[in-house]
PDB file of all heavy atoms in Angstrom:
ATOM      1  N   ARG A 496     171.052 145.867 121.888  1.00 98.00           N
ATOM      2  CA  ARG A 496     171.322 147.262 122.191  1.00 98.00           C
ATOM      3  C   ARG A 496     171.282 148.059 120.893  1.00 98.00           C
ATOM      4  O   ARG A 496     172.082 147.828 119.989  1.00 98.00           O
ATOM      5  CB  ARG A 496     172.693 147.427 122.840  1.00 98.00           C
ATOM      6  CG  ARG A 496     172.962 148.840 123.364  1.00 98.00           C
ATOM      7  CD  ARG A 496     174.420 149.020 123.675  1.00 98.00           C
ATOM      8  NE  ARG A 496     174.682 150.207 124.483  1.00 98.00           N
ATOM      9  CZ  ARG A 496     175.858 150.845 124.501  1.00 98.00           C
ATOM     10  NH1 ARG A 496     176.871 150.391 123.761  1.00 98.00           N
ATOM     11  NH2 ARG A 496     176.026 151.906 125.264  1.00 98.00           N
ATOM     12  N   LEU A 497     170.338 148.984 120.827  1.00 98.00           N
ATOM     13  CA  LEU A 497     170.219 149.851 119.669  1.00 98.00           C
ATOM     14  C   LEU A 497     171.021 151.128 119.902  1.00 98.00           C
ATOM     15  O   LEU A 497     171.097 151.634 121.023  1.00 98.00           O
ATOM     16  CB  LEU A 497     168.764 150.209 119.402  1.00 98.00           C
ATOM     17  CG  LEU A 497     167.783 149.057 119.238  1.00 98.00           C
ATOM     18  CD1 LEU A 497     166.386 149.602 118.915  1.00 98.00           C
ATOM     19  CD2 LEU A 497     168.235 148.086 118.189  1.00 98.00           C
ATOM     20  N   SER A 498     171.597 151.633 118.817  1.00 98.00           N
ATOM     21  CA  SER A 498     172.317 152.894 118.862  1.00 98.00           C
ATOM     22  C   SER A 498     171.782 153.815 117.779  1.00 98.00           C
ATOM     23  O   SER A 498     171.345 153.354 116.723  1.00 98.00           O
ATOM     24  CB  SER A 498     173.818 152.685 118.633  1.00 98.00           C
ATOM     25  OG  SER A 498     174.377 151.854 119.602  1.00 98.00           O
ATOM     26  N   CYS A 499     171.856 155.091 118.051  1.00 98.00           N
ATOM     27  CA  CYS A 499     171.446 156.090 117.062  1.00 98.00           C
ATOM     28  C   CYS A 499     172.396 157.267 117.181  1.00 98.00           C
ATOM     29  O   CYS A 499     172.396 157.951 118.203  1.00 98.00           O
ATOM     30  CB  CYS A 499     170.013 156.522 117.294  1.00 98.00           C
ATOM     31  SG  CYS A 499     169.462 157.883 116.230  1.00 98.00           S
ATOM     32  N   ALA A 500     173.200 157.461 116.150  1.00 97.00           N
ATOM     33  CA  ALA A 500     174.187 158.534 116.148  1.00 97.00           C
ATOM     34  C   ALA A 500     173.714 159.669 115.257  1.00 97.00           C
ATOM     35  O   ALA A 500     173.385 159.447 114.085  1.00 97.00           O
ATOM     36  CB  ALA A 500     175.534 158.014 115.667  1.00 97.00           C
ATOM     37  N   ALA A 501     173.697 160.863 115.815  1.00 97.00           N
ATOM     38  CA  ALA A 501     173.275 162.051 115.066  1.00 97.00           C
ATOM     39  C   ALA A 501     174.484 162.858 114.634  1.00 97.00           C
ATOM     40  O   ALA A 501     175.434 163.036 115.400  1.00 97.00           O
ATOM     41  CB  ALA A 501     172.359 162.911 115.925  1.00 97.00           C
ATOM     42  N   SER A 502     174.433 163.344 113.419  1.00 95.00           N
ATOM     43  CA  SER A 502     175.497 164.206 112.915  1.00 95.00           C
ATOM     44  C   SER A 502     174.882 165.426 112.243  1.00 95.00           C
ATOM     45  O   SER A 502     173.703 165.420 111.867  1.00 95.00           O
ATOM     46  CB  SER A 502     176.371 163.456 111.910  1.00 95.00           C
ATOM     47  OG  SER A 502     175.608 163.017 110.801  1.00 95.00           O
ATOM     48  N   GLY A 503     175.671 166.481 112.143  1.00 94.00           N
ATOM     49  CA  GLY A 503     175.192 167.702 111.514  1.00 94.00           C
ATOM     50  C   GLY A 503     174.319 168.545 112.404  1.00 94.00           C
ATOM     51  O   GLY A 503     173.620 169.444 111.925  1.00 94.00           O
ATOM     52  N   ILE A 504     174.387 168.273 113.697  1.00 92.00           N
ATOM     53  CA  ILE A 504     173.542 169.003 114.629  1.00 92.00           C
ATOM     54  C   ILE A 504     174.184 169.006 116.007  1.00 92.00           C
ATOM     55  O   ILE A 504     174.907 168.071 116.350  1.00 92.00           O
ATOM     56  CB  ILE A 504     172.129 168.384 114.710  1.00 92.00           C
ATOM     57  CG1 ILE A 504     171.166 169.317 115.440  1.00 92.00           C
ATOM     58  CG2 ILE A 504     172.170 167.002 115.333  1.00 92.00           C
ATOM     59  CD1 ILE A 504     169.712 168.923 115.296  1.00 92.00           C
ATOM     60  N   SER A 505     173.939 170.048 116.754  1.00 83.00           N
ATOM     61  CA  SER A 505     174.413 170.121 118.128  1.00 83.00           C
ATOM     62  C   SER A 505     173.252 170.572 119.003  1.00 83.00           C
ATOM     63  O   SER A 505     172.170 170.874 118.520  1.00 83.00           O
ATOM     64  CB  SER A 505     175.598 171.086 118.241  1.00 83.00           C
ATOM     65  OG  SER A 505     175.205 172.383 117.831  1.00 83.00           O
ATOM     66  N   SER A 506     173.490 170.639 120.279  1.00 88.00           N
ATOM     67  CA  SER A 506     172.475 171.088 121.242  1.00 88.00           C
ATOM     68  C   SER A 506     171.161 170.336 121.077  1.00 88.00           C
ATOM     69  O   SER A 506     170.099 170.931 120.892  1.00 88.00           O
ATOM     70  CB  SER A 506     172.238 172.596 121.098  1.00 88.00           C
ATOM     71  OG  SER A 506     173.414 173.313 121.347  1.00 88.00           O
ATOM     72  N   ILE A 507     171.241 169.035 121.136  1.00 92.00           N
ATOM     73  CA  ILE A 507     170.044 168.193 121.064  1.00 92.00           C
ATOM     74  C   ILE A 507     169.347 168.214 122.407  1.00 92.00           C
ATOM     75  O   ILE A 507     169.974 167.961 123.441  1.00 92.00           O
ATOM     76  CB  ILE A 507     170.413 166.757 120.668  1.00 92.00           C
ATOM     77  CG1 ILE A 507     171.079 166.749 119.299  1.00 92.00           C
ATOM     78  CG2 ILE A 507     169.172 165.872 120.676  1.00 92.00           C
ATOM     79  CD1 ILE A 507     171.667 165.398 118.921  1.00 92.00           C
ATOM     80  N   ASN A 508     168.072 168.507 122.399  1.00 94.00           N
ATOM     81  CA  ASN A 508     167.327 168.562 123.661  1.00 94.00           C
ATOM     82  C   ASN A 508     166.843 167.162 124.051  1.00 94.00           C
ATOM     83  O   ASN A 508     167.345 166.541 124.964  1.00 94.00           O
ATOM     84  CB  ASN A 508     166.156 169.529 123.533  1.00 94.00           C
ATOM     85  CG  ASN A 508     166.629 170.945 123.346  1.00 94.00           C
ATOM     86  OD1 ASN A 508     167.656 171.358 123.875  1.00 94.00           O
ATOM     87  ND2 ASN A 508     165.893 171.715 122.565  1.00 94.00           N
ATOM     88  N   LEU A 509     165.887 166.676 123.324  1.00 97.00           N
ATOM     89  CA  LEU A 509     165.258 165.409 123.667  1.00 97.00           C
ATOM     90  C   LEU A 509     165.663 164.338 122.652  1.00 97.00           C
ATOM     91  O   LEU A 509     165.701 164.603 121.445  1.00 97.00           O
ATOM     92  CB  LEU A 509     163.744 165.581 123.670  1.00 97.00           C
ATOM     93  CG  LEU A 509     162.910 164.607 124.475  1.00 97.00           C
ATOM     94  CD1 LEU A 509     163.277 164.653 125.946  1.00 97.00           C
ATOM     95  CD2 LEU A 509     161.428 164.942 124.277  1.00 97.00           C
ATOM     96  N   MET A 510     165.953 163.164 123.148  1.00 98.00           N
ATOM     97  CA  MET A 510     166.227 162.016 122.285  1.00 98.00           C
ATOM     98  C   MET A 510     165.233 160.930 122.654  1.00 98.00           C
ATOM     99  O   MET A 510     165.008 160.674 123.848  1.00 98.00           O
ATOM    100  CB  MET A 510     167.668 161.534 122.452  1.00 98.00           C
ATOM    101  CG  MET A 510     168.697 162.634 122.243  1.00 98.00           C
ATOM    102  SD  MET A 510     170.411 162.071 122.344  1.00 98.00           S
ATOM    103  CE  MET A 510     170.715 161.604 120.624  1.00 98.00           C
ATOM    104  N   ARG A 511     164.645 160.306 121.655  1.00 98.00           N
ATOM    105  CA  ARG A 511     163.552 159.374 121.906  1.00 98.00           C
ATOM    106  C   ARG A 511     163.662 158.143 121.023  1.00 98.00           C
ATOM    107  O   ARG A 511     164.242 158.193 119.935  1.00 98.00           O
ATOM    108  CB  ARG A 511     162.189 160.054 121.653  1.00 98.00           C
ATOM    109  CG  ARG A 511     161.981 161.302 122.459  1.00 98.00           C
ATOM    110  CD  ARG A 511     160.591 161.891 122.279  1.00 98.00           C
ATOM    111  NE  ARG A 511     160.357 162.421 120.950  1.00 98.00           N
ATOM    112  CZ  ARG A 511     159.213 162.994 120.576  1.00 98.00           C
ATOM    113  NH1 ARG A 511     158.214 163.069 121.445  1.00 98.00           N
ATOM    114  NH2 ARG A 511     159.069 163.454 119.366  1.00 98.00           N
ATOM    115  N   TRP A 512     163.074 157.080 121.490  1.00 98.00           N
ATOM    116  CA  TRP A 512     162.913 155.863 120.700  1.00 98.00           C
ATOM    117  C   TRP A 512     161.421 155.571 120.560  1.00 98.00           C
ATOM    118  O   TRP A 512     160.677 155.623 121.545  1.00 98.00           O
ATOM    119  CB  TRP A 512     163.598 154.665 121.355  1.00 98.00           C
ATOM    120  CG  TRP A 512     165.086 154.683 121.243  1.00 98.00           C
ATOM    121  CD1 TRP A 512     165.977 155.082 122.198  1.00 98.00           C
ATOM    122  CD2 TRP A 512     165.873 154.254 120.126  1.00 98.00           C
ATOM    123  NE1 TRP A 512     167.270 154.954 121.738  1.00 98.00           N
ATOM    124  CE2 TRP A 512     167.236 154.437 120.463  1.00 98.00           C
ATOM    125  CE3 TRP A 512     165.568 153.752 118.857  1.00 98.00           C
ATOM    126  CZ2 TRP A 512     168.272 154.126 119.592  1.00 98.00           C
ATOM    127  CZ3 TRP A 512     166.598 153.441 117.991  1.00 98.00           C
ATOM    128  CH2 TRP A 512     167.931 153.629 118.360  1.00 98.00           C
ATOM    129  N   PHE A 513     161.025 155.272 119.336  1.00 98.00           N
ATOM    130  CA  PHE A 513     159.674 154.847 119.027  1.00 98.00           C
ATOM    131  C   PHE A 513     159.763 153.455 118.399  1.00 98.00           C
ATOM    132  O   PHE A 513     160.809 153.027 117.929  1.00 98.00           O
ATOM    133  CB  PHE A 513     159.014 155.787 118.008  1.00 98.00           C
ATOM    134  CG  PHE A 513     158.646 157.134 118.531  1.00 98.00           C
ATOM    135  CD1 PHE A 513     159.615 158.102 118.776  1.00 98.00           C
ATOM    136  CD2 PHE A 513     157.319 157.459 118.779  1.00 98.00           C
ATOM    137  CE1 PHE A 513     159.270 159.368 119.249  1.00 98.00           C
ATOM    138  CE2 PHE A 513     156.961 158.710 119.245  1.00 98.00           C
ATOM    139  CZ  PHE A 513     157.935 159.664 119.476  1.00 98.00           C
ATOM    140  N   ARG A 514     158.624 152.789 118.342  1.00 98.00           N
ATOM    141  CA  ARG A 514     158.552 151.549 117.590  1.00 98.00           C
ATOM    142  C   ARG A 514     157.230 151.475 116.858  1.00 98.00           C
ATOM    143  O   ARG A 514     156.243 152.085 117.272  1.00 98.00           O
ATOM    144  CB  ARG A 514     158.771 150.329 118.467  1.00 98.00           C
ATOM    145  CG  ARG A 514     157.706 150.052 119.501  1.00 98.00           C
ATOM    146  CD  ARG A 514     158.148 148.878 120.387  1.00 98.00           C
ATOM    147  NE  ARG A 514     157.143 148.517 121.363  1.00 98.00           N
ATOM    148  CZ  ARG A 514     157.343 147.601 122.327  1.00 98.00           C
ATOM    149  NH1 ARG A 514     158.514 146.976 122.427  1.00 98.00           N
ATOM    150  NH2 ARG A 514     156.372 147.317 123.185  1.00 98.00           N
ATOM    151  N   GLN A 515     157.262 150.718 115.775  1.00 98.00           N
ATOM    152  CA  GLN A 515     156.080 150.639 114.931  1.00 98.00           C
ATOM    153  C   GLN A 515     155.956 149.238 114.358  1.00 98.00           C
ATOM    154  O   GLN A 515     156.924 148.660 113.865  1.00 98.00           O
ATOM    155  CB  GLN A 515     156.192 151.666 113.794  1.00 98.00           C
ATOM    156  CG  GLN A 515     154.971 151.778 112.927  1.00 98.00           C
ATOM    157  CD  GLN A 515     155.095 152.912 111.919  1.00 98.00           C
ATOM    158  OE1 GLN A 515     156.188 153.310 111.524  1.00 98.00           O
ATOM    159  NE2 GLN A 515     153.956 153.453 111.506  1.00 98.00           N
ATOM    160  N   THR A 516     154.724 148.713 114.414  1.00 98.00           N
ATOM    161  CA  THR A 516     154.412 147.439 113.782  1.00 98.00           C
ATOM    162  C   THR A 516     153.501 147.704 112.593  1.00 98.00           C
ATOM    163  O   THR A 516     152.851 148.749 112.521  1.00 98.00           O
ATOM    164  CB  THR A 516     153.729 146.496 114.778  1.00 98.00           C
ATOM    165  OG1 THR A 516     152.604 147.161 115.358  1.00 98.00           O
ATOM    166  CG2 THR A 516     154.680 146.101 115.897  1.00 98.00           C
ATOM    167  N   PRO A 517     153.461 146.767 111.641  1.00 96.00           N
ATOM    168  CA  PRO A 517     152.683 146.985 110.415  1.00 96.00           C
ATOM    169  C   PRO A 517     151.230 147.347 110.704  1.00 96.00           C
ATOM    170  O   PRO A 517     150.568 146.680 111.513  1.00 96.00           O
ATOM    171  CB  PRO A 517     152.803 145.650 109.690  1.00 96.00           C
ATOM    172  CG  PRO A 517     154.109 145.106 110.153  1.00 96.00           C
ATOM    173  CD  PRO A 517     154.219 145.516 111.593  1.00 96.00           C
ATOM    174  N   GLY A 518     150.771 148.397 110.064  1.00 96.00           N
ATOM    175  CA  GLY A 518     149.389 148.812 110.197  1.00 96.00           C
ATOM    176  C   GLY A 518     149.090 149.645 111.421  1.00 96.00           C
ATOM    177  O   GLY A 518     147.929 150.028 111.634  1.00 96.00           O
ATOM    178  N   ASN A 519     150.115 149.913 112.213  1.00 97.00           N
ATOM    179  CA  ASN A 519     149.912 150.681 113.449  1.00 97.00           C
ATOM    180  C   ASN A 519     150.758 151.945 113.453  1.00 97.00           C
ATOM    181  O   ASN A 519     151.705 152.086 112.688  1.00 97.00           O
ATOM    182  CB  ASN A 519     150.272 149.820 114.659  1.00 97.00           C
ATOM    183  CG  ASN A 519     149.348 148.636 114.817  1.00 97.00           C
ATOM    184  OD1 ASN A 519     148.122 148.794 114.872  1.00 97.00           O
ATOM    185  ND2 ASN A 519     149.910 147.447 114.878  1.00 97.00           N
ATOM    186  N   GLU A 520     150.397 152.857 114.326  1.00 97.00           N
ATOM    187  CA  GLU A 520     151.153 154.088 114.461  1.00 97.00           C
ATOM    188  C   GLU A 520     152.421 153.845 115.280  1.00 97.00           C
ATOM    189  O   GLU A 520     152.528 152.864 116.011  1.00 97.00           O
ATOM    190  CB  GLU A 520     150.300 155.157 115.141  1.00 97.00           C
ATOM    191  CG  GLU A 520     149.086 155.588 114.337  1.00 97.00           C
ATOM    192  CD  GLU A 520     148.315 156.698 115.011  1.00 97.00           C
ATOM    193  OE1 GLU A 520     148.651 157.052 116.155  1.00 97.00           O
ATOM    194  OE2 GLU A 520     147.380 157.225 114.383  1.00 97.00           O
ATOM    195  N   ARG A 521     153.340 154.784 115.144  1.00 98.00           N
ATOM    196  CA  ARG A 521     154.536 154.714 115.964  1.00 98.00           C
ATOM    197  C   ARG A 521     154.168 154.985 117.414  1.00 98.00           C
ATOM    198  O   ARG A 521     153.382 155.892 117.716  1.00 98.00           O
ATOM    199  CB  ARG A 521     155.566 155.745 115.488  1.00 98.00           C
ATOM    200  CG  ARG A 521     156.179 155.370 114.172  1.00 98.00           C
ATOM    201  CD  ARG A 521     157.251 156.324 113.717  1.00 98.00           C
ATOM    202  NE  ARG A 521     157.616 156.021 112.338  1.00 98.00           N
ATOM    203  CZ  ARG A 521     158.548 156.672 111.653  1.00 98.00           C
ATOM    204  NH1 ARG A 521     159.214 157.674 112.230  1.00 98.00           N
ATOM    205  NH2 ARG A 521     158.810 156.319 110.421  1.00 98.00           N
ATOM    206  N   VAL A 522     154.775 154.205 118.269  1.00 98.00           N
ATOM    207  CA  VAL A 522     154.496 154.307 119.697  1.00 98.00           C
ATOM    208  C   VAL A 522     155.784 154.696 120.417  1.00 98.00           C
ATOM    209  O   VAL A 522     156.849 154.130 120.163  1.00 98.00           O
ATOM    210  CB  VAL A 522     153.982 152.964 120.251  1.00 98.00           C
ATOM    211  CG1 VAL A 522     153.794 153.035 121.749  1.00 98.00           C
ATOM    212  CG2 VAL A 522     152.668 152.592 119.557  1.00 98.00           C
ATOM    213  N   LEU A 523     155.660 155.653 121.317  1.00 98.00           N
ATOM    214  CA  LEU A 523     156.814 156.098 122.089  1.00 98.00           C
ATOM    215  C   LEU A 523     157.245 155.003 123.067  1.00 98.00           C
ATOM    216  O   LEU A 523     156.420 154.482 123.822  1.00 98.00           O
ATOM    217  CB  LEU A 523     156.470 157.385 122.840  1.00 98.00           C
ATOM    218  CG  LEU A 523     157.566 157.995 123.685  1.00 98.00           C
ATOM    219  CD1 LEU A 523     158.754 158.408 122.832  1.00 98.00           C
ATOM    220  CD2 LEU A 523     157.021 159.189 124.462  1.00 98.00           C
ATOM    221  N   VAL A 524     158.534 154.723 123.055  1.00 98.00           N
ATOM    222  CA  VAL A 524     159.068 153.683 123.936  1.00 98.00           C
ATOM    223  C   VAL A 524     159.866 154.296 125.082  1.00 98.00           C
ATOM    224  O   VAL A 524     159.716 153.888 126.238  1.00 98.00           O
ATOM    225  CB  VAL A 524     159.972 152.717 123.132  1.00 98.00           C
ATOM    226  CG1 VAL A 524     160.635 151.712 124.063  1.00 98.00           C
ATOM    227  CG2 VAL A 524     159.175 152.003 122.057  1.00 98.00           C
ATOM    228  N   ALA A 525     160.727 155.266 124.755  1.00 98.00           N
ATOM    229  CA  ALA A 525     161.594 155.820 125.787  1.00 98.00           C
ATOM    230  C   ALA A 525     162.064 157.208 125.385  1.00 98.00           C
ATOM    231  O   ALA A 525     162.189 157.505 124.195  1.00 98.00           O
ATOM    232  CB  ALA A 525     162.802 154.921 126.029  1.00 98.00           C
ATOM    233  N   THR A 526     162.311 158.037 126.389  1.00 98.00           N
ATOM    234  CA  THR A 526     162.800 159.379 126.160  1.00 98.00           C
ATOM    235  C   THR A 526     163.938 159.681 127.125  1.00 98.00           C
ATOM    236  O   THR A 526     163.999 159.121 128.224  1.00 98.00           O
ATOM    237  CB  THR A 526     161.712 160.435 126.361  1.00 98.00           C
ATOM    238  OG1 THR A 526     161.326 160.435 127.754  1.00 98.00           O
ATOM    239  CG2 THR A 526     160.492 160.148 125.521  1.00 98.00           C
ATOM    240  N   ILE A 527     164.795 160.600 126.713  1.00 98.00           N
ATOM    241  CA  ILE A 527     165.848 161.073 127.596  1.00 98.00           C
ATOM    242  C   ILE A 527     166.147 162.522 127.249  1.00 98.00           C
ATOM    243  O   ILE A 527     166.327 162.879 126.082  1.00 98.00           O
ATOM    244  CB  ILE A 527     167.113 160.183 127.523  1.00 98.00           C
ATOM    245  CG1 ILE A 527     168.144 160.638 128.567  1.00 98.00           C
ATOM    246  CG2 ILE A 527     167.685 160.131 126.115  1.00 98.00           C
ATOM    247  CD1 ILE A 527     169.259 159.611 128.797  1.00 98.00           C
ATOM    248  N   SER A 528     166.194 163.339 128.274  1.00 96.00           N
ATOM    249  CA  SER A 528     166.459 164.763 128.074  1.00 96.00           C
ATOM    250  C   SER A 528     167.956 165.019 128.021  1.00 96.00           C
ATOM    251  O   SER A 528     168.767 164.133 128.294  1.00 96.00           O
ATOM    252  CB  SER A 528     165.834 165.568 129.211  1.00 96.00           C
ATOM    253  OG  SER A 528     166.579 165.338 130.407  1.00 96.00           O
ATOM    254  N   SER A 529     168.308 166.252 127.706  1.00 94.00           N
ATOM    255  CA  SER A 529     169.722 166.605 127.656  1.00 94.00           C
ATOM    256  C   SER A 529     170.378 166.485 129.024  1.00 94.00           C
ATOM    257  O   SER A 529     171.582 166.247 129.131  1.00 94.00           O
ATOM    258  CB  SER A 529     169.881 168.029 127.121  1.00 94.00           C
ATOM    259  OG  SER A 529     169.155 168.945 127.924  1.00 94.00           O
ATOM    260  N   GLY A 530     169.568 166.620 130.059  1.00 94.00           N
ATOM    261  CA  GLY A 530     170.089 166.490 131.415  1.00 94.00           C
ATOM    262  C   GLY A 530     170.082 165.077 131.951  1.00 94.00           C
ATOM    263  O   GLY A 530     170.534 164.836 133.074  1.00 94.00           O
ATOM    264  N   GLY A 531     169.551 164.147 131.158  1.00 95.00           N
ATOM    265  CA  GLY A 531     169.571 162.748 131.564  1.00 95.00           C
ATOM    266  C   GLY A 531     168.290 162.231 132.187  1.00 95.00           C
ATOM    267  O   GLY A 531     168.225 161.069 132.602  1.00 95.00           O
ATOM    268  N   THR A 532     167.265 163.055 132.253  1.00 97.00           N
ATOM    269  CA  THR A 532     165.990 162.580 132.778  1.00 97.00           C
ATOM    270  C   THR A 532     165.346 161.638 131.775  1.00 97.00           C
ATOM    271  O   THR A 532     165.257 161.959 130.585  1.00 97.00           O
ATOM    272  CB  THR A 532     165.049 163.753 133.050  1.00 97.00           C
ATOM    273  OG1 THR A 532     165.664 164.633 134.008  1.00 97.00           O
ATOM    274  CG2 THR A 532     163.722 163.254 133.605  1.00 97.00           C
ATOM    275  N   THR A 533     164.907 160.486 132.251  1.00 98.00           N
ATOM    276  CA  THR A 533     164.372 159.468 131.347  1.00 98.00           C
ATOM    277  C   THR A 533     162.903 159.180 131.601  1.00 98.00           C
ATOM    278  O   THR A 533     162.371 159.442 132.682  1.00 98.00           O
ATOM    279  CB  THR A 533     165.157 158.153 131.492  1.00 98.00           C
ATOM    280  OG1 THR A 533     165.003 157.658 132.824  1.00 98.00           O
ATOM    281  CG2 THR A 533     166.627 158.351 131.192  1.00 98.00           C
TER     282      THR A 533
END
């Protein structure tokens, strides 16, 4: 289970997870909106 805690900011709209392997671009893995849509 990965966690990501943000500080110094409020009213976050979209939160996302990407992943990247050597030599490749970051790839979108998952998204979640402020309303909980994933």
Side-chain angles (χ1 to χ4, degrees):
R496 188 194 195 204
L497 305 183
S498 300
C499 174
S502 60
I504 192 168
S505 60
S506 300
I507 299 171
N508 294 326
L509 203 60
M510 306 183 89
R511 304 185 292 181
W512 286 99
F513 288 74
R514 66 186 183 186
Q515 186 174 26
T516 53
N519 295 305
E520 295 183 354
R521 289 183 190 181
V522 175
L523 181 62
V524 175
T526 66
I527 185 166
S528 71
S529 57
T532 300
T533 62

